[in-house]
Amino acid sequence: MSKRVCITDFFVKKVPRQELTQSIIVNVKTNIEESNPDNEYSCSSNQIHHEHVHYDSQVSLFDIKLYVGQSQKLSNKEKIEYFQKTWTPQSIFVFPTSEFNKKKLKFQLSWLDKWKWLAYSQINDGAYCKYCVIFYKTEGGIGSQTLGNFCLKPFRMWYKAIEKFNHHEKCNYHLQSVEQYQNIVAIETGKQDSIDLQLNKAAKVQTELNRKIIIPVIESVIFCGRQGIALRGHRDFGTLTTENPVENDGNFRALMRFHLNATKLSGDESYQLARTNCAKNAQYTSWKIQNEIIGSCHEIILSEIVNEVNNSKCFSVIADETADVAGFEQFSIC
């Protein structure tokens, strides 16, 4: 019988930092043995400690290899911390050599100064991109290909190092990772609002602008309806401006123009700016919009009348019969 699927199985479980740190410490030796079958480096869990405790350890807790594929388990603050504390070899560090075409090559410490995004892993003698590892995506490039070197796999082809380094820092997914890091730092330091807050603020601003556009339209239609004034004129179409037209464009547009000019003279130019900057298909001045507003007013008035009748103790019905021009009797009920 297959295991019953729960909705929580589809979400990534948040791993506490202490638990994550302990799991990293336990797996350091495994990572070293997998990357170096000849046991070139040795390490024990009691040799690895946080940066604030000074011990002689061969492998740092902030080795970039330990955070490959761990991005989703880290909070934004932890990502920034691990990015800034990524282990960097000292000048006395001896890099292992690898043979390529009968030439012995190795990682150069000067590369870290030239390419600031570069990080070296002591565990598997490979180069990674700090941005792409900690702020990684599993896919990128043309056709959303699976990412490999510098991101999920170590780069070790030292004879092509400069060429590959220059190519990687121009890739779109690398630039996106750098931008993501900058955004997270700005959010955590208070220089920028979070994405949710930005979206909420943008939605609120857009709502206010939309109201400044539609409210004068509704008020003009209601005014014409109350006074029994016709809305449309001879040239009742096109973009509404505050200048008086040569031909009469109707009572509705004249009222709209009067409202914009009156608010501007009173010192409030927000209504005019909102209408000037809105899209041409968001003017809300067409005859279709006017009819929709009239229909909404009809429903509101009818609903109030029905509620008033239903709430009254009694009501009367008036009937009248009148003959039309053809001589047929027409019976109406009020």
Side-chain angles (χ1 to χ4, degrees):
M1 182 180 293
S2 60
K3 182 181 178 181
R4 186 175 181 180
V5 179
C6 179
I7 191 171
T8 56
D9 296 336
F10 295 95
F11 298 91
V12 178
K13 183 180 179 182
K14 179 67 176 178
V15 181
R17 178 175 177 178
Q18 183 177 4
E19 181 180 341
L20 177 62
T21 303
Q22 293 297 328
S23 65
I24 291 175
I25 293 176
V26 172
N27 292 328
V28 168
K29 186 174 182 180
T30 304
N31 286 327
I32 295 175
E33 292 175 351
E34 291 178 353
S35 303
N36 302 279
D38 298 333
N39 199 19
E40 187 174 354
Y41 310 111
S42 61
C43 174
S44 60
S45 60
N46 58 2
Q47 290 177 302
I48 299 175
H49 303 275
H50 284 285
E51 190 174 88
H52 62 272
V53 181
H54 298 285
Y55 286 86
D56 292 329
S57 59
Q58 289 182 314
V59 176
S60 171
L61 182 63
F62 296 99
D63 190 293
I64 191 66
K65 170 65 175 68
L66 301 177
Y67 301 100
V68 174
Q70 303 292 327
S71 177
Q72 295 181 350
K73 300 179 182 179
L74 301 175
S75 65
N76 288 340
K77 290 184 178 179
E78 290 171 339
K79 289 179 180 179
I80 296 174
E81 178 185 0
Y82 295 140
F83 178 88
Q84 295 175 346
K85 293 183 178 180
T86 300
W87 177 76
T88 302
Q90 302 297 322
S91 57
I92 60 175
F93 182 82
V94 179
F95 292 96
T97 58
S98 303
E99 187 172 343
F100 297 95
N101 295 329
K102 299 181 180 181
K103 293 182 179 180
K104 292 185 177 181
L105 303 176
K106 62 181 179 180
F107 186 91
Q108 301 297 316
L109 187 62
S110 60
W111 292 343
L112 297 177
D113 296 329
K114 186 174 182 180
W115 291 277
K116 301 298 183 181
W117 50 265
L118 194 62
Y120 175 79
S121 172
Q122 182 184 4
I123 294 177
N124 55 13
D125 183 30
Y128 290 91
C129 173
K130 293 189 291 185
Y131 293 102
C132 295
V133 168
I134 300 179
F135 305 94
Y136 87 107
K137 298 187 302 181
T138 56
E139 297 177 347
I142 300 176
S144 298
Q145 301 176 6
T146 302
L147 301 182
N149 290 334
F150 299 110
C151 305
L152 301 178
K153 298 179 181 179
F155 174 81
R156 299 193 186 95
M157 296 184 294
W158 309 132
Y159 64 97
K160 290 185 177 181
I162 296 178
E163 175 187 351
K164 294 297 183 180
F165 293 165
N166 291 330
H167 177 266
H168 177 77
E169 68 179 0
K170 296 178 182 178
C171 293
N172 288 332
Y173 59 84
H174 170 77
L175 298 176
Q176 291 174 0
S177 298
V178 175
E179 183 179 2
Q180 185 179 2
Y181 166 76
Q182 294 172 347
N183 291 336
I184 290 178
V185 171
I187 292 172
E188 293 298 327
T189 56
K191 296 180 180 179
Q192 178 178 318
D193 295 329
S194 63
I195 301 300
D196 294 339
L197 187 58
Q198 290 182 40
L199 292 175
N200 290 337
K201 287 184 176 180
K204 184 177 180 180
V205 171
Q206 188 62 47
T207 301
E208 293 297 328
L209 290 176
N210 292 340
R211 287 177 178 174
K212 290 183 180 297
I213 296 173
I214 193 64
I215 286 177
V217 176
I218 298 174
E219 291 179 347
S220 299
V221 172
I222 293 176
F223 178 84
C224 291
R226 283 182 176 273
Q227 300 304 120
I229 302 174
L231 275 77
R232 290 185 274 278
H234 183 60
R235 298 286 182 183
D236 190 9
F237 58 86
T239 303
L240 181 66
T241 62
T242 56
E243 298 178 358
N244 292 321
V246 177
E247 297 182 358
N248 185 8
D249 56 357
N251 297 321
F252 168 75
R253 296 174 73 88
L255 279 172
M256 288 286 298
R257 193 176 297 108
F258 175 80
H259 180 276
L260 295 176
N261 289 328
T263 52
K264 182 179 179 180
L265 291 174
S266 65
D268 185 6
E269 298 184 3
S270 59
Y271 288 92
Q272 184 172 347
L273 290 175
R275 179 159 294 280
T276 303
N277 297 327
C278 70
K280 291 185 178 181
N281 60 348
Q283 297 282 331
Y284 303 111
T285 56
S286 67
W287 61 269
K288 291 183 179 180
I289 298 297
Q290 297 174 28
N291 288 344
E292 289 182 7
I293 295 174
I294 294 173
S296 299
C297 293
H298 161 74
E299 294 178 0
I300 294 174
I301 294 173
L302 184 62
S303 176
E304 290 183 356
I305 293 175
V306 171
N307 290 334
E308 186 176 350
V309 171
N310 292 334
N311 294 331
S312 62
K313 295 182 179 180
C314 59
F315 60 90
S316 60
V317 177
I318 301 176
D320 189 16
E321 184 179 2
T322 305
D324 58 15
V325 293
F328 293 99
E329 296 291 339
Q330 301 292 336
F331 187 75
S332 59
I333 299 177
C334 299

